[in-house]
């Protein structure tokens, strides 16, 4: 596994949560939420993040049903991961993201962020949980 910065994404059709971390430390931090449905705007924002953080690799959460079957969002997340790999030429890892939203809500509640105040941070904290999972397991490459 290459050392360096890692960016992680919690893909959604409207919002994409982003987190970052360093492989040496193995600690994930929420970064921001990209809030647009416009594909070009999403990838422009991601391009700026890649220019700024210079990651050695990327991680994308892969949504699955509880019984391990795929659904529509699974396919959209895979497509997003493949586009990242094609556009930016970086290794892209997929990580099972089941329960990351529940984990993110719990983390925000523990931090005293409740109700509507959670919405702006939820996706980036979910990306943080995805990256923490990847640090623990290293996922599977696209």
């Amino acid at each position: 596994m290459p050392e360096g910065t890692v960016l992680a994404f919690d893909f959604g059709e409207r919002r994409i949560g982003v987190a970052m971390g360093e492989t040496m430390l193995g600690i994930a931090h929420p970064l921001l939420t990209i809030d647009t449905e416009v594909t070009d705007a999403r990838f422009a924002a991601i391009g700026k993040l890649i220019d700024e953080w210079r990651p050695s690799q990327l991680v994308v959460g892969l949504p699955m049903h509880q019984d391990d079957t795929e659904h529509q969002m699974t396919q959209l997340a895979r497509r997003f991961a493949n586009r990242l790999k094609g556009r930016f030429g970086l290794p892209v890892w997929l990580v099972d993201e089941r329960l990351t939203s529940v984990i993110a809500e719990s983390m925000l509640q523990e931090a005293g962020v409740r109700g509507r105040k959670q919405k702006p941070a939820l996706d980036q904290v979910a990306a943080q949980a995805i990256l923490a999972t990847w640090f623990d397991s290293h996922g599977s490459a696209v």
Side-chain angles (χ1 to χ4, degrees):
M1 172 179 70
E3 288 189 6
T5 301
V6 181
L7 291 180
F9 302 93
D10 178 35
F11 175 79
E13 291 181 284
R14 169 72 192 199
R15 291 182 307 276
I16 300 173
V18 185
M20 64 79 59
E22 294 289 331
T23 56
M24 283 186 72
L25 298 175
I27 299 172
H29 304 278
L31 195 56
L32 59 87
T33 300
I34 298 168
D35 190 357
T36 180
E37 295 177 23
V38 180
T39 300
D40 289 341
R42 289 172 161 218
F43 281 99
I46 292 167
K48 287 179 184 177
L49 290 171
I50 287 173
D51 287 343
E52 178 181 353
W53 292 99
R54 299 283 184 207
S56 61
Q57 51 210 327
L58 308 173
V59 174
V60 175
L62 188 65
M64 301 282 283
H65 286 296
Q66 292 301 325
D67 66 359
D68 289 334
T69 59
E70 296 189 3
H71 50 80
Q72 180 184 359
M73 285 304 294
T74 311
Q75 295 305 316
L76 292 174
R78 283 187 193 280
R79 184 175 177 204
F80 173 71
N82 285 323
R83 284 180 162 180
L84 287 174
K85 184 177 180 180
R87 285 186 187 220
F88 301 110
L90 294 168
V92 179
W93 299 82
L94 296 171
V95 172
D96 185 340
E97 72 165 38
R98 280 177 284 190
L99 304 179
T100 55
S101 292
V102 173
I103 293 166
E105 286 178 23
S106 175
M107 291 170 68
L108 287 168
Q109 285 180 351
E110 286 177 25
V113 181
R114 291 180 171 71
R116 291 183 181 189
K117 292 181 181 178
Q118 283 189 356
K119 189 173 183 176
L122 189 60
D123 296 301
Q124 58 193 273
V125 174
Q128 176 187 12
I130 289 165
L131 186 51
T133 300
W134 182 78
F135 281 140
D136 291 341
S137 68
H138 301 303
S140 60
V142 171

